[in-house]
Structure formats: structure tokens, C-alpha cells
Amino acid sequence: TDLCLNIYFGSHLISALAVRFPHWRIINVDNLQYCSSLKNLRSLEASSRYTFIPGDVCDPFFIKRLFATEKIDIVFHCAAETHVENSFLCPSRFMRVNADGTGVLIRAAFEARVQRFIYISTDEVYGDSLEQPFDELSPKRPTNPYSTSKAAAENIVMSYWMKHKFPVLITRSSNVYGPHQHHEKVIPRFLSLIQRDQKCTIQGSGLQSRHFLYVSDVTDAFLTLMEKGILGEIYNIGSSFEIPIIQLARELVKMVGDVSEEALEDWMEFVEDRPVTELRYPMISDKLHRLGWRPRVTWKEGIRRTIQWYEENPNYWPLISENEEESPASCDQTPSHAVPYPVR
């Protein structure tokens, strides 16, 4: 039995597992917040090998009952609050979900003697670097509440390995993109704005750059680590493709809007920067490459597939007006939508 706790690429991971291991039973646990959608897994709804269970990773009674009633062998822990701007507004919620929730889950998994616990973290725990790329031994220097909560969760996970030799793995990936992604993330956000003839809202100078990985390459990395990863180890899942955010906006405008080079700047709107801005997150993934994984989908092909999907599914996610209030009413509430320009 395989338990997947779901954010965006969680649904892609579930689909990949269903294809690769058709005899496995897959349990998907999600509390269906604003950026989750069961539509992502419609193809599996009729399968007797797939079960969706609504629930919250922070609820110890629910999680303990789940492990008591289901025979779970492998846990992919993808559940997280991931929106960096919202983490500055409500840092306590991010710490509760990302760190405390991880503590609840891994304790139940440990008591249930799960065979493998794979924690999905982020490259942001390293902080930024203008030149030197990070490997897995680089120190963690998180610079925002989101990455701080993920670093804390990593420490919780690793403590179970250090104290109990509980079989854990930790992954740190670059930015993920592809079909079905909620428009709180930068690529679907820009595509949504362009499709509505609105300007791409860019924080600060737009010179901050990000590495992007197509979602199927990331799920392939997860499966590689599930089968070949060394227990107690951390693995970077990085990309060699890097692009400044302002250049990303220009490329998407040209591809979607068929706009001339001279008119590109008319599609850009610069807005206030986030409190802390990281310019780059360069990573080395040699450790994972030695297990046989490398990205297979080029940026040209991946962005073509992504644009085509959003053109064919313009109403998949609810559209948000740029004039709507941007911040959640309280830290105890789930934000209804994203702020103007999310880097992640």
C-alpha cells in the first residue's frame, strides 16, 4: 500500500505510481485547500486500487487512525503550505502545517513500522547563492517563513533516522511546472493573465532567476529514490535550465500572445517586492544522477505541453481578479488565492 499526501505534483506522482505499479493500492490523503483539486485524478476515480481519504496531516487522531486501519508500507509526504508571500503574512500557519504536521505524520508512520518515508522538501532551505551551487552537504540558511518551516520539518524527519534508524529519505527539488498547476505559481499565473489580456505582474526588478523542472521528471526522480535511494540520505533534484523571471514573462507573452519584441514591455507591470528576495537557488544533483536519473523533458518541450494544456483548459481553476483583496483574513484561514506574482 502506498500513501501519498498531495500537493500539485502529488497528483502526478499518484498517476505515475498507478501506471508503474498497477497491483499497488494507493491512498491519497488531502484536505482539499484552495490549490488542490480532485479533478487532477479523475482518471483513477473508478480504480479499485486507488482511494481518496479527506483529512488533515495536522490531526493526530485522524493520522493515527489511518495507520491503524490501513496497511501502509511507503509514505510520500508531499503535504505542505508552499506560497512564500503568504508565509510572511501567516508564518505560524506554515510552521504548524509544514513542521508540526510532519511531526504528527512521521510519528504515526514510525509507530506503524512503515518501510520507507520519503519527505518532499525544497531547494529554498539552502537560501540563495549568486555563484556557488549547493550540494546536499551545504548548510541550510532559509530566508523566509516557508523555507524555515521546511527546514524545521527536515530536522524532524532526520531525527527519526538518527535516533531510531527509521527508513527516511529527503528530496530537495527546483521549481516544478506543468499541466494542472494552480495559478498561485508563476508560470500558470502568467499564462492566466496573458490569456485574459492582462499584464504580467512582476515583483521587484524581475532579475531573480529560477531553475525549472517539468513535473514528469520530478515524479521520475521520486520513483528512482523510492527504489534506489540510500536510507537516511538527502537528494537534490535540480535542473540545468535557469531563467530570470522577467525573461520568463517575455517568453510566455511571445509564445501565447504572438506579441512583437517592441511591444513586450507593455505586457509587464512591476509591483512591490517581497520582504526578502532570493536571486538564485543553484543546485548540484550529481548524487541523484549516480542512481541513473536525469531530466528528460527539455524546457522547449515542457513549456509547449504546459501552454497547450492551459489553452485547452482555461477554466480549470477559478479566475481571480487583480483588484481583489490579496491577503487572507486571518492566519487561521486558508487564503482564497495568491498574491500578484509568486516566484514558486
Side-chain angles (χ1 to χ4, degrees):
T1 298
D2 196 310
L3 169 65
C4 270
L5 299 185
N6 191 22
I7 54 175
Y8 161 61
F9 47 71
S11 60
H12 287 268
L13 174 59
I14 290 170
S15 297
L17 284 165
V19 171
R20 183 84 65 91
F21 305 100
H23 60 288
W24 284 16
R25 181 163 175 248
I26 301 171
I27 302 170
N28 173 23
V29 175
D30 198 315
N31 65 353
L32 295 181
Q33 293 194 20
Y34 68 102
C35 57
S36 299
S37 176
L38 291 178
K39 292 187 293 185
N40 291 351
L41 290 164
R42 275 180 176 164
S43 62
L44 293 177
E45 285 179 351
S47 173
S48 61
R49 310 302 296 173
Y50 167 74
T51 303
F52 170 69
I53 302 176
D56 190 338
V57 68
C58 295
D59 182 347
F61 301 102
F62 165 74
I63 293 297
K64 188 170 184 177
R65 185 169 64 252
L66 177 71
F67 280 92
T69 56
E70 305 286 348
K71 187 184 183 305
I72 296 168
D73 301 309
I74 300 172
V75 174
F76 282 97
H77 178 20
C78 309
E81 290 273 5
T82 65
H83 198 284
V84 174
E85 280 75 18
N86 287 335
S87 78
F88 285 105
L89 296 171
C90 297
S92 61
R93 185 178 69 229
F94 277 66
M95 192 60 71
R96 181 180 67 85
V97 174
N98 296 350
D100 296 348
T102 296
V104 168
L105 184 64
I106 196 168
R107 179 175 180 177
F110 169 71
E111 291 175 349
R113 299 185 179 181
V114 163
Q115 295 177 11
R116 191 153 299 196
F117 186 101
I118 302 170
Y119 178 63
I120 313 303
S121 190
T122 171
D123 57 359
E124 291 203 38
V125 298
Y126 292 120
D128 70 347
S129 173
L130 292 179
E131 296 181 4
Q132 186 67 30
F134 301 112
D135 63 21
E136 291 84 355
L137 296 178
S138 299
K140 290 184 287 191
R141 292 174 177 153
T143 57
N144 59 63
Y146 160 63
S147 56
T148 299
S149 68
K150 295 294 281 186
E154 285 192 10
N155 292 343
I156 293 169
V157 171
M158 197 54 69
S159 72
Y160 275 78
W161 168 255
M162 299 297 292
K163 185 175 182 180
H164 306 290
K165 287 298 180 278
F166 183 58
V168 304
L169 289 161
I170 293 175
T171 73
R172 297 170 178 162
S173 73
S174 298
N175 283 38
V176 183
Y177 75 101
H180 303 140
Q181 194 171 32
H182 188 272
H183 56 223
E184 74 168 9
K185 303 303 181 184
V186 63
I187 289 176
R189 182 65 174 183
F190 283 170
L191 291 176
S192 174
L193 290 169
I194 297 165
Q195 287 172 348
R196 290 180 282 151
D197 292 325
Q198 295 182 10
K199 295 183 179 184
C200 295
T201 48
I202 298 173
Q203 286 181 330
S205 66
L207 296 179
Q208 58 271 50
S209 65
R210 295 294 180 263
H211 295 76
F212 287 97
L213 269 172
Y214 191 68
V215 64
S216 63
D217 283 329
V218 179
T219 57
D220 284 348
F222 294 157
L223 298 185
T224 297
L225 290 173
M226 179 190 69
E227 295 182 301
K228 301 179 182 179
I230 299 172
L231 298 180
E233 293 290 323
I234 299 168
Y235 290 88
N236 289 344
I237 308 175
S239 167
S240 61
F241 177 80
E242 181 179 12
I243 186 170
I245 295 302
I246 191 168
Q247 184 60 31
L248 171 66
R250 289 170 178 155
E251 285 198 15
L252 294 179
V253 168
K254 284 194 290 185
M255 286 187 275
V256 177
D258 194 24
V259 175
S260 67
E261 197 76 35
E262 297 74 25
L264 281 179
E265 298 310 310
D266 295 336
W267 286 79
M268 308 294 139
E269 178 182 354
F270 292 89
V271 299
E272 184 180 356
D273 209 346
R274 63 169 58 158
V276 180
T277 299
E278 300 81 7
L279 292 179
R280 301 179 68 231
Y281 301 113
M283 289 196 303
I284 295 172
S285 303
D286 293 351
K287 191 173 176 180
L288 180 55
H289 293 170
R290 289 194 289 271
L291 299 183
W293 175 88
R294 289 185 183 271
R296 293 186 294 181
V297 180
T298 64
W299 168 254
K300 182 179 180 180
E301 175 60 19
I303 199 63
R304 183 196 67 78
R305 295 180 194 175
T306 303
I307 291 172
Q308 179 179 346
W309 186 88
Y310 282 98
E311 288 177 341
E312 294 173 353
N313 299 273
N315 301 315
Y316 195 83
W317 297 104
L319 294 179
I320 301 301
S321 167
E322 290 295 310
N323 296 320
E324 290 186 48
E325 180 63 35
E326 296 297 347
S327 61
S330 97
C331 287
D332 295 326
Q333 293 181 347
T334 298
S336 60
H337 56 84
V339 295
Y341 152 58
V343 172
R344 291 199 68 87

